[in-house]
Amino acid sequence: MSIQDSLEKIRPALQTRVANSLARGAGVRENFQEQLGRFLDLIAQALVSGDASWLDPILEEWSNARTQTDLQQGERNLSGLLHQVITYSLELGREMLSEADALELVAGLMPIYLHAVEKAAALENESRLQYVSNELQSAQIRLKKLDKSKSNFVAVAAHELKTPLTLIEGYAAMIGDLAAQENEQMHMLIQGTHNGIRRMREIVDDMIDVSQIDNHLLVLNFQPLWLNRLFNMLQADFTNIIGQRRHTLEIRPFAGSEELLFADPERLYQALKNLVSNAIKYTPDGGKIIIDGRILSGFVEVTITDTGIGIAPENQEVIFEKFGQLGDVSLHSSGKTKFKGGGPGLGLAITKGIIEAHQGSVWVESEGYDEVKCPGSTFHVLLPQRTQPSDPNLAKLFGAGENSPAQLPDDF
Ligand code: ADP
């Protein structure tokens, strides 16, 4: 018997067995039988022409028709169907044909089946991969939306908090002035309230800054400045707390610190202040903090080194994320400059946002975290060495390329 006749002979039984084993329910089975009929027609065509790619279009059609649930569960229904077709072809060949015809049929069908199995596996992997990557993409979009609405909430809440805070601050100052005239103890209590309010304002301001950075709304106001003036301001601002903590703050002069630089003085000061405040906070009493730097080609680098508890390598990136504080959360409501007294974990995220808005970068180097040996940390701030204002109006004010220090404001 010819190989085509052998296939025709087993075909009705093959169609029924495959349909019975795969399709549940009469309605489903009818539709499935029709599809299966088309598939067996194509197998017959492939057998006649010796070209297995006759099966490709129907396999592609089936692969595209796979349901969301199939894809979600990684169902390999194409491979499953082929498995059944192959198994029953062998079984029926043995049952219904002579041994020689059965062997000839199997030899003819095998290359076609192998091609179909390979094609089905490739289609299934491709669609599964596509499904997973679509899922990942939509998860990412959902996460971004969530992050945005969270940061909008933070911005709105912080602004709402600021108004009553300003009122309380004003009234507390007035009561403080009155109390100072009346009663020493009362004055101290009011002073405590005042400190609490100031700290709360710092936190609210940090929240607003973080949401501005998150939403790319941080606007820099480029002005001429000298770094050594910022460092001197830092020293003046931290004199009290450095004295209380018996720290030494050493400011080393370096070439770049005396050169004129265009940056946002307030924001840069805020960024450096966060780093020095952390150096003070995470260094046990009696430690040393050094501000140093150097000129690199096109950049100026500032380093802030402390003799503090250090940072483990695995945390050296995490700390620049918002709310990236480490250690005991219960410490995080205490004073900003007390030893290990944390803040809300926004300082370094703000510092990073400010420095990156200047097209610079910030990173930390530390041998690790050890509260006994105190290996210390060095924070690096790399800033482009802008010697021209980026604002064209400012550029006009200073003349093309001629920055006369005599014309510049004194404060920075
Ligand atoms: P926080 O408000 O907690 O200080 P920051 O964003 O300023 O938030 O810092 C994040 C975390 O990084 C801190 O909780 C601390 O664990 C770690 N850290 C920052 N600066 C230093 C430093 N100089 N030495 C050791 N750890 C530091």
Side-chain angles (χ1 to χ4, degrees), residues 199 206 274-283 304-312 315 318-327 332 336 340-351 364 366 368-369 376-379:
R199 181 74 196 107
D206 278 1
N274 281 342
L275 295 177
V276 175
S277 148
N278 278 347
I280 295 171
K281 191 163 58 164
Y282 296 104
T283 299
I304 293 156
T305 304
D306 62 51
T307 54
I309 55 179
I311 302 161
N315 290 326
V318 178
I319 55 170
F320 290 99
E321 286 166 19
K322 55 187 167 183
F323 310 115
Q325 342 91 310
L326 316 169
H332 283 276
K336 181 91 180 138
K340 289 200 299 164
L346 297 176
L348 288 181
I350 293 171
T351 298
V364 67
S366 171
Y369 172 82
S377 311
T378 298
F379 281 80

Side-chain angles (χ1 to χ4, degrees), residues 6-175:
S6 300
L7 180 63
E8 278 312 302
K9 188 166 179 195
I10 67 163
R11 185 181 157 150
L14 179 62
Q15 195 162 331
T16 316
R17 280 201 196 171
V18 174
N20 285 348
S21 80
L22 288 178
R24 309 261 169 266
V28 180
R29 203 170 297 154
E30 201 176 313
N31 178 34
F32 185 67
Q33 285 266 21
E34 194 188 307
Q35 300 276 345
L36 205 54
R38 278 175 61 212
F39 185 60
L40 293 175
D41 282 345
L42 290 167
I43 288 182
Q45 293 273 18
L47 207 56
V48 174
S49 63
D51 179 4
S53 63
W54 275 92
L55 299 180
D56 292 358
I58 196 167
L59 290 173
E60 274 159 21
E61 186 188 317
W62 284 349
S63 169
N64 291 337
R66 296 168 79 214
T67 64
Q68 202 64 1
T69 326
D70 292 339
L71 292 168
Q72 201 173 356
Q73 295 172 353
E75 288 276 358
R76 297 197 159 266
N77 14 23
L78 282 190
S79 303
L81 167 78
L82 288 172
H83 177 77
Q84 298 290 0
V85 172
I86 295 170
T87 312
Y88 289 127
S89 303
L90 295 176
E91 209 171 277
L92 289 166
R94 267 200 312 271
E95 283 172 23
M96 302 174 67
L97 303 174
S98 70
E99 200 180 333
D101 285 346
L103 275 175
E104 203 183 349
L105 181 64
V106 168
L109 285 178
M110 262 323 135
I112 298 169
Y113 285 163
L114 280 178
H115 171 86
V117 167
E118 250 172 47
K119 176 84 186 168
L123 286 169
E124 277 166 344
N125 288 344
E126 201 179 297
S127 52
R128 174 91 186 127
L129 211 70
Q130 188 62 43
Y131 170 78
V132 172
S133 105
N134 287 349
E135 282 294 285
L136 272 176
Q137 241 169 27
S138 59
Q140 217 168 9
I141 293 170
R142 282 201 301 275
L143 262 178
K144 265 199 188 143
K145 268 195 194 150
L146 194 71
D147 198 45
K148 178 133 183 64
S149 65
K150 219 171 57 192
S151 122
N152 284 348
F153 167 75
V154 169
V156 172
H159 276 291
E160 289 298 318
L161 282 171
K162 211 167 166 170
T163 317
L165 203 60
T166 308
L167 278 176
I168 299 168
E169 202 173 18
Y171 283 121
M174 285 194 279
I175 298 171

Side-chain angles (χ1 to χ4, degrees), residues 120-305:
L123 286 169
E124 277 166 344
N125 288 344
E126 201 179 297
S127 52
R128 174 91 186 127
L129 211 70
Q130 188 62 43
Y131 170 78
V132 172
S133 105
N134 287 349
E135 282 294 285
L136 272 176
Q137 241 169 27
S138 59
Q140 217 168 9
I141 293 170
R142 282 201 301 275
L143 262 178
K144 265 199 188 143
K145 268 195 194 150
L146 194 71
D147 198 45
K148 178 133 183 64
S149 65
K150 219 171 57 192
S151 122
N152 284 348
F153 167 75
V154 169
V156 172
H159 276 291
E160 289 298 318
L161 282 171
K162 211 167 166 170
T163 317
L165 203 60
T166 308
L167 278 176
I168 299 168
E169 202 173 18
Y171 283 121
M174 285 194 279
I175 298 171
D177 288 346
L178 277 179
Q181 298 158 16
E182 303 283 327
N183 177 329
E184 181 70 17
Q185 202 181 5
M186 181 89 142
H187 176 67
M188 269 172 56
L189 293 177
I190 295 290
Q191 194 56 40
T193 316
H194 203 70
N195 290 343
I197 295 168
R198 206 194 53 235
R199 181 74 196 107
M200 211 152 127
R201 174 180 281 280
E202 281 171 5
I203 296 173
V204 168
D205 285 342
D206 278 1
M207 283 161 73
I208 293 173
D209 286 348
V210 154
S211 71
Q212 276 190 344
I213 289 167
D214 269 3
N215 295 312
H216 309 285
L217 293 175
L218 188 72
V219 180
L220 295 182
N221 177 17
F222 281 86
Q223 302 273 334
L225 61 87
W226 286 269
L227 286 172
N228 59 356
R229 294 198 186 177
L230 293 194
F231 299 157
N232 291 341
M233 282 168 67
L234 284 171
Q235 189 158 41
D237 265 5
F238 284 113
T239 302
N240 283 347
I241 185 70
I242 283 190
Q244 281 164 28
R245 300 280 312 276
R246 292 179 289 105
H247 284 326
T248 354
L249 173 63
E250 187 189 334
I251 298 174
R252 294 191 180 154
F254 60 95
S257 67
E258 282 154 25
E259 282 177 28
L260 181 136
L261 181 76
F262 274 87
D264 184 323
E266 275 181 36
R267 288 299 186 181
L268 187 57
Y269 185 72
Q270 183 185 3
L272 295 173
K273 194 173 174 187
N274 281 342
L275 295 177
V276 175
S277 148
N278 278 347
I280 295 171
K281 191 163 58 164
Y282 296 104
T283 299
D285 290 1
K288 184 160 188 173
I289 293 136
I290 302 169
I291 302 180
D292 200 352
R294 59 181 170 157
I295 289 277
L296 297 164
S297 110
F299 287 90
V300 55
E301 184 184 28
V302 178
T303 54
I304 293 156
T305 304

